[in-house]
Amino acid sequence: RTFHGNNRLFTSQIISYYESINRCEKKLPEYFNFASDVLDEWARLEKVDGKKTPNPAFWWINDEGEEVKWSFEELGSLSRKTANVLSVACGLQRGDRVIAVLPRVPEWWLLNVACMRAGIVFIPGTSQLTAKDISYRLQVSRAKCIITNDTLAPAVESVLLGSQFLKSKLIVGQGSRDGWLNLKELL
């Protein structure tokens, strides 16, 4: 069976590769970064063939039928831009923590990959978190950045006064909010 329509990579090859790692026959890399070592490699393979693979790297559809499709190259490019936003505009460094209180919108996955790429710790939170939950996570994690959307921002803002480690606030959406950076505008 082919894996994701790529004729050069078979499921059995992938399984045998991981089994050889488990048997310590393959040397593990000292540093591994999923974004650069896996996603960028798939993007390179897309370019080698001169055509896109039949399956996108990311495909999201909401309840209204709106869809977002990104190739591996597009996901790589967007995640590099997002990593730059986190590093430059938000002032984050490798090892810093980010809390994302978002529903599962495309930006949730984009931020996840960007954090991997930049070495930033991504702490996911669902839109069902209460103000108390958010406050607890902020204090315990010592997060330097919080990311949410315009709908959830009021609940998040209600607990930010007590957060001594927070350096930046990033909003995902079309609107603007005082004291918040807008991800779409920065991208």
Side-chain angles (χ1 to χ4, degrees), residues 95-184:
D96 286 345
R97 293 169 212 68
V98 169
I99 294 180
V101 182
L102 289 169
R104 295 305 181 257
V105 292
E107 291 83 2
W108 188 92
W109 280 276
L110 183 59
L111 286 159
N112 199 330
V113 174
C115 284
M116 285 181 215
R117 190 174 291 282
I120 296 168
V121 179
F122 183 77
I123 303 169
T126 71
S127 55
Q128 297 173 337
L129 292 176
T130 65
K132 184 178 176 182
D133 296 331
I134 295 167
S135 177
Y136 175 78
R137 283 166 172 76
L138 277 169
Q139 297 312 313
V140 171
S141 70
R142 298 180 176 198
K144 292 189 178 176
C145 179
I146 191 156
I147 305 166
T148 193
N149 64 11
D150 42 5
T151 307
L152 300 169
V156 170
E157 275 184 335
S158 71
V159 299
L160 294 184
L161 289 176
S163 179
Q164 58 195 24
F165 303 102
L166 202 62
K167 288 169 59 174
S168 57
K169 302 177 288 188
L170 193 60
I171 198 158
V172 173
Q174 301 298 334
S176 62
R177 201 166 182 85
D178 284 343
W180 290 76
L181 300 169
N182 186 296
L183 178 65
K184 290 187 180 192

Side-chain angles (χ1 to χ4, degrees), residues 12-174:
S12 60
Q13 291 171 315
I14 294 169
I15 292 169
S16 66
Y17 178 78
Y18 286 111
E19 285 173 351
S20 65
I21 290 172
N22 285 335
R23 291 189 305 267
C24 298
E25 295 170 359
K26 296 261 186 206
K27 186 174 185 224
L28 292 176
E30 184 177 353
Y31 300 101
F32 175 79
N33 185 304
F34 179 80
S36 57
D37 294 336
V38 176
L39 295 179
D40 291 351
E41 178 61 17
W42 278 91
R44 188 190 67 73
L45 290 174
E46 278 181 344
K47 286 182 179 180
V48 169
D49 290 342
K51 61 179 180 169
K52 291 187 177 183
T53 57
N55 295 316
F58 179 82
W59 191 352
W60 175 88
I61 303 172
N62 69 7
D63 293 337
E64 289 81 41
E66 176 189 356
E67 73 179 29
V68 173
K69 276 187 190 181
W70 293 325
S71 67
F72 285 96
E73 185 177 354
E74 291 167 329
L75 181 57
S77 174
L78 285 169
S79 68
R80 279 188 286 282
K81 289 178 183 179
T82 305
N84 285 336
V85 166
L86 294 172
S87 299
V88 178
C90 296
L92 301 174
Q93 299 174 7
R94 181 175 292 280
D96 286 345
R97 293 169 212 68
V98 169
I99 294 180
V101 182
L102 289 169
R104 295 305 181 257
V105 292
E107 291 83 2
W108 188 92
W109 280 276
L110 183 59
L111 286 159
N112 199 330
V113 174
C115 284
M116 285 181 215
R117 190 174 291 282
I120 296 168
V121 179
F122 183 77
I123 303 169
T126 71
S127 55
Q128 297 173 337
L129 292 176
T130 65
K132 184 178 176 182
D133 296 331
I134 295 167
S135 177
Y136 175 78
R137 283 166 172 76
L138 277 169
Q139 297 312 313
V140 171
S141 70
R142 298 180 176 198
K144 292 189 178 176
C145 179
I146 191 156
I147 305 166
T148 193
N149 64 11
D150 42 5
T151 307
L152 300 169
V156 170
E157 275 184 335
S158 71
V159 299
L160 294 184
L161 289 176
S163 179
Q164 58 195 24
F165 303 102
L166 202 62
K167 288 169 59 174
S168 57
K169 302 177 288 188
L170 193 60
I171 198 158
V172 173
Q174 301 298 334

